[in-house]
Amino acid sequence: MQVSGIGPKSRWVYSVSAVIICLFLISEPTQAAGNGARQLRALLAKAWQQNLRYDPVTASTEGFHAYDALWPAPSLAAERLRLAQIEANLVALKRISTAQLDPSEQLNDQLFAYRLADQAEALKFPDHALLLMNQLWGPQTLGNLPRQLRFTTQADYVHWLRRLQSLGAYLDAFTRRLRAALAAGIMQPAVVMQRVPGEIAGQIVRQPDDSPFYTPFKHMPDTIPVAEQHKLRRQARQAILTGVNP
């Protein structure tokens, strides 16, 4: 994951919701679409791409593969940037004239405004950091991710390998974010976190071939040359031993 966190609700579920809503919002324009409608669609498209870049893992699981080699960034700086983007989009949305929008476009405008305002309000509250990690998601659940991803081309395996190789940097950044939340007195109740150490331990195996992160490499398509398959498997084992397990 290039650091832009994975697992945290403030990114995964947040972005899943954004993905669903944007899919609903971005409808085909009418033949008579005026300047306001074109501005609205352009802003929706811009926000959609920002959503994908902010949470590249969810983008991958939803079938958008431009950021398949990246992780989200679990940092306060990334959250501030995200808030600035959302607020800028909200300002731009308010500048669009809705007078000539047809009813469906007006609904798009209203839902988009509601979503942006909701996201902005959430990001302004420090205690949204509670959603970074719990017994249901967080970095300790990353071993489940391969089951949600596409592995049909050589590029898919290369991108997953890049994510494995950068997992250490992602986890370091995620740890710093958790420590910042802890320093601010923001933490889950103990009962919520009781299962997490065991979940973490379950991701660590002595033999890399037994790692859940290695699963995609066990069965690779014949379209990938055998020599390339061996190379990718060797690199994946190395990434698990030197980056994932530590």
Side-chain angles (χ1 to χ4, degrees):
M1 312 178 182
Q2 176 231 344
V3 279
S4 142
I6 205 180
K9 182 180 179 185
S10 54
R11 289 161 183 80
W12 273 21
V13 170
Y14 229 137
S15 297
V16 167
S17 299
V19 164
I20 293 171
I21 288 176
C22 282
L23 280 172
F24 172 75
L25 289 176
I26 301 177
S27 57
E28 288 300 316
T30 63
Q31 290 291 328
N35 191 50
R38 288 192 293 270
Q39 291 176 335
L40 176 59
R41 285 184 55 77
L43 185 58
L44 284 168
K46 176 183 177 182
W48 172 247
Q49 289 300 320
Q50 290 172 342
N51 288 339
L52 298 181
R53 182 61 185 83
Y54 182 66
D55 190 353
V57 172
T58 296
S60 296
T61 62
E62 294 289 338
F64 298 88
H65 302 291
Y67 307 112
D68 276 356
L70 307 180
W71 298 109
S75 67
L76 286 168
E79 290 176 13
R80 286 192 290 268
L81 175 60
R82 179 61 173 156
L83 178 59
Q85 289 176 339
I86 292 168
E87 290 180 331
N89 289 340
L90 194 53
V91 170
L93 183 62
K94 291 178 179 178
R95 291 174 177 165
I96 296 175
S97 173
T98 60
Q100 295 181 335
L101 297 181
D102 65 28
S104 66
E105 291 162 346
Q106 290 177 3
L107 178 60
N108 285 346
D109 181 272
Q110 292 165 11
L111 288 173
F112 191 36
Y114 175 85
R115 180 58 183 167
L116 291 174
D118 187 57
Q119 287 179 313
E121 280 301 304
L123 284 169
K124 290 175 183 177
F125 284 93
D127 62 358
H128 82 275
L130 282 172
L131 304 176
L132 287 166
M133 189 176 189
N134 59 34
Q135 80 278 23
L136 296 178
W137 60 50
Q140 80 280 10
T141 67
L142 289 182
N144 298 323
L145 184 57
R147 294 200 294 264
Q148 305 173 51
L149 299 177
R150 177 192 72 179
F151 292 97
T152 58
T153 69
Q154 183 170 329
D156 294 334
Y157 288 89
V158 171
H159 291 152
W160 180 240
L161 178 62
R162 296 292 175 266
R163 277 179 164 159
L164 294 184
Q165 291 170 334
S166 59
L167 181 59
Y170 164 73
L171 293 177
D172 285 345
F174 198 90
T175 300
R176 289 193 294 271
R177 181 67 185 91
L178 288 177
R179 285 178 174 156
L182 185 64
I186 301 168
M187 66 198 81
Q188 293 283 7
V191 66
V192 172
M193 302 300 288
Q194 285 174 348
R195 298 179 184 178
V196 172
E199 292 173 337
I200 293 172
Q203 307 294 304
I204 304 169
V205 296
R206 181 168 297 181
Q207 297 299 325
D209 289 34
D210 296 331
S211 171
F213 296 95
Y214 186 80
T215 302
F217 297 95
K218 291 183 177 181
H219 303 287
M220 302 177 72
D222 295 336
T223 52
I224 301 176
V226 173
E228 199 61 34
Q229 291 187 31
H230 291 326
K231 177 182 176 181
L232 289 168
R233 287 180 174 128
R234 183 174 65 254
Q235 291 177 322
R237 293 185 184 104
Q238 182 70 11
I240 290 168
L241 289 174
T242 62
V244 175
N245 282 356

